[in-house]
Amino acid sequence: DTAVSQTPKYLVTQMGNDKSIKCEQNLGHDTMYWYKQDSKKFLKIMFSYNNKELIINETVPNRFSPKSPDKAHLNLHINSLELGDSAVYFCASSQDENNQPQHFGDGTRLSIL
Amino acid sequence: RKEVEQDPGPFNVPEGATVAFNCTYSNSASQSFFWYRQDCRKEPKLLMSVYSSGNEDGRFTAQLNRASQYISLLIRDSKLSDSATYLCVVNHGGGKLIFGQGTELSVKP
């Protein structure tokens, strides 16, 4: 039983396209996150939602728009994809927003041609 | 200055060795601390939380020094399966995790 699942696992697309990545958690957690890991392996937080409400929004281009239809789902839509968007995107969840460990999905590898 | 700094390594050690990783963080208001492990092309997985009193989980011991803003991880009796990248992680509050760049460990037979 996968606790945090992301789809798709691999995404190869051309510059300028719009794409979405989906994330679901079955842990009953209130808080979900999106992270980006670039080629230099740094993991950086992008967004966080607590019970469907946005609580963290780092300096991310507004081409990236998260959406949380319910607390078990946090999707990421990216418009007008650019070469620099190539990275691994990880979804994560935690029980709440207060100092709890986070559990990660296995990542979506996005490659822009 | 990076918010969380680690020696990137790689650390190449023989099986059975003891290896120590260090990490410093810049935000004195940081609230909680963790070590995560990341295998090549996989997701980060929680190894252990880190407490001021120090905590141990089998062969792994973590320590936090809030005054010095320093976190450590000690691995005793290294196994081949310990080969991975170890990520020092600091929670700034509100779930905002700041990751270090990771320390790569390679355990050789």
Side-chain angles (χ1 to χ4, degrees), chain A residues 10 33 35 37 40-45 48 55-56 58 90 97-107 109, chain B residues 2 4 31-32 34 36 38 40-46 49 87 91-101:
Chain A
Y10 298 95
Y33 311 82
Y35 288 84
Q37 188 169 37
K40 294 182 181 172
K41 307 288 179 67
F42 260 109
L43 258 164
K44 288 188 180 175
I45 190 164
S48 168
I55 54 170
I56 295 174
E58 289 296 289
F90 287 102
E97 57 185 311
N98 300 314
N99 302 321
Q100 298 295 322
Q102 295 178 16
H103 301 263
F104 285 76
D106 55 8
R109 284 141 191 85
Chain B
K2 291 178 191 157
V4 179
Q31 298 182 10
S32 57
F34 308 95
Y36 277 75
Q38 187 172 26
C40 187
R41 301 180 68 79
K42 297 279 181 93
E43 75 275 23
K45 289 186 178 174
L46 177 69
S49 301
L87 300 163
N91 188 336
H92 278 193
K96 185 176 174 181
L97 292 188
I98 306 298
F99 283 77
Q101 69 187 100

Side-chain angles (χ1 to χ4, degrees), chain A residues 18-36:
Chain A
D18 303 338
K19 290 292 178 187
S20 292
I21 309 172
K22 295 187 176 181
C23 179
E24 175 181 4
Q25 54 94 4
N26 62 7
L27 295 167
H29 287 170
D30 284 345
T31 312
M32 295 185 73
Y33 311 82
W34 276 110
Y35 288 84
K36 178 180 179 181

Side-chain angles (χ1 to χ4, degrees), chain A:
Chain A
D1 289 343
T2 305
V4 182
S5 59
Q6 299 178 223
T7 54
K9 190 165 178 150
Y10 298 95
L11 187 50
V12 181
T13 190
Q14 293 197 320
M15 238 175 17
N17 284 349
D18 303 338
K19 290 292 178 187
S20 292
I21 309 172
K22 295 187 176 181
C23 179
E24 175 181 4
Q25 54 94 4
N26 62 7
L27 295 167
H29 287 170
D30 284 345
T31 312
M32 295 185 73
Y33 311 82
W34 276 110
Y35 288 84
K36 178 180 179 181
Q37 188 169 37
D38 59 25
S39 56
K40 294 182 181 172
K41 307 288 179 67
F42 260 109
L43 258 164
K44 288 188 180 175
I45 190 164
M46 300 171 70
F47 301 103
S48 168
Y49 272 71
N50 188 61
N51 233 332
K52 303 194 296 175
E53 283 194 31
L54 181 67
I55 54 170
I56 295 174
N57 185 351
E58 289 296 289
T59 313
V60 178
N62 57 15
R63 298 183 294 104
F64 290 78
S65 50
K67 283 195 172 46
S68 182
D70 55 63
K71 73 174 193 176
H73 295 84
L74 181 61
N75 304 322
L76 183 65
H77 188 77
I78 316 171
N79 288 327
S80 304
L81 280 156
E82 299 177 358
L83 289 174
D85 297 333
S86 294
V88 183
Y89 292 83
F90 287 102
C91 177
S93 73
S94 63
Q95 192 167 347
D96 55 46
E97 57 185 311
N98 300 314
N99 302 321
Q100 298 295 322
Q102 295 178 16
H103 301 263
F104 285 76
D106 55 8
T108 295
R109 284 141 191 85
L110 174 63
S111 296
I112 310 301
L113 304 176

Side-chain angles (χ1 to χ4, degrees), chain B residues 3-59:
Chain B
E3 292 184 86
V4 179
E5 292 211 57
Q6 295 180 250
D7 180 346
F11 283 53
N12 296 307
V13 304
E15 268 187 295
T18 295
V19 60
F21 302 140
N22 302 319
C23 167
T24 57
Y25 61 96
S26 60
N27 187 338
S28 59
S30 299
Q31 298 182 10
S32 57
F33 309 86
F34 308 95
W35 283 100
Y36 277 75
R37 169 193 170 132
Q38 187 172 26
D39 293 277
C40 187
R41 301 180 68 79
K42 297 279 181 93
E43 75 275 23
K45 289 186 178 174
L46 177 69
L47 182 66
M48 57 200 304
S49 301
V50 189
Y51 305 109
S52 297
S53 53
N55 48 304
E56 190 173 307
D57 183 0
R59 298 180 293 109

